[in-house]
Amino acid sequence: MTSGAGAARARCVHCKVEIAVPDHYAHGDHIKCGGCGTKHKVVRGDRLRLVLADVGPVREALALNEQLTARLEAELAHARGSFGVGANGFGIALRYALYQVGLRGQPIGAALVTEIVAVAVISGLALELANWAFLAKRQRITVLTRELEEARGEASRMRTILREATRV
Ligand SMILES: [Zn+2]
């Protein structure tokens, strides 16, 4: 913020462009951003500040943001909850293979070898499928987590704007 020529500068709350605030603008006066048209109130405290004049749109955006956050949280909980389904399927295949090959104690013959190969192929497919499902879920969880973080960050930015505006 630099002073000079009867005007001080402060940044737009919305687009962060510098706005020249002439010295005759008193505390509480309204001034519009030349960049984005957002209306501000002049705050003359220990230093010049600009706060939002009309908090309505930010309140609405925050309400929408809270809805989005709730939806993302529910989706994330659901994605986390459905974890382990693929792994369970693989566990069943593995137990089946152990039972067939180990516990049944058949003599090694052509029939058993064929069966072991079949079980191995089925287990392999099950593993591939479980792995694919696992990766897809993990990716979904990563995306949801990032979207949630962004939404929460945006919400906290909007709450700060609202808090500063209502303090005037
Ligand atoms: Zn602006």
Side-chain angles (χ1 to χ4, degrees):
M1 218 179 308
T2 50
S3 296
R9 292 180 173 276
R11 289 198 180 274
C12 169
V13 172
H14 182 67
C15 70
K16 307 291 174 198
V17 142
E18 275 202 334
I19 303 169
V21 183
D23 289 344
H24 63 85
Y25 274 67
H27 181 87
D29 278 356
H30 284 213
I31 190 163
K32 212 170 169 181
C33 169
C36 68
T38 300
K39 288 182 189 126
H40 297 80
K41 257 192 274 186
V42 175
V43 181
R44 292 198 184 276
D46 45 344
R47 64 183 185 86
L48 173 76
R49 278 195 309 130
L50 291 175
V51 300
L52 220 56
D54 179 15
V55 294
V58 177
R59 281 228 171 91
E60 276 168 33
L62 185 59
L64 285 176
N65 174 290
E66 278 163 357
Q67 282 173 24
L68 174 73
T69 300
R71 191 171 60 76
L72 287 173
E73 277 169 350
E75 269 185 54
L76 190 59
H78 179 76
R80 282 197 175 128
S82 63
F83 244 131
V85 172
N88 281 344
F90 178 62
I92 290 163
L94 191 67
R95 277 197 293 278
Y96 174 80
L98 284 173
Y99 167 73
Q100 293 294 326
V101 176
L103 302 179
R104 217 165 56 173
Q106 276 188 10
I108 292 175
L112 185 61
V113 169
T114 309
E115 210 174 302
I116 289 169
V117 169
V119 167
V121 168
I122 290 164
S123 304
L125 285 176
L127 178 63
E128 277 301 305
L129 210 64
N131 192 44
W132 181 82
F134 180 84
L135 285 178
K137 271 173 209 158
R138 203 171 56 180
Q139 202 171 27
R140 181 90 190 108
I141 285 172
T142 305
V143 168
L144 284 170
T145 305
R146 197 179 51 228
E147 282 176 358
L148 201 53
E149 271 168 20
E150 279 170 13
R152 282 180 179 148
E154 182 68 6
S156 103
R157 196 183 68 82
M158 286 191 280
R159 283 198 192 94
T160 305
I161 289 172
L162 288 176
R163 212 167 35 239
E164 300 210 320
T166 46
R167 210 184 276 156
V168 181

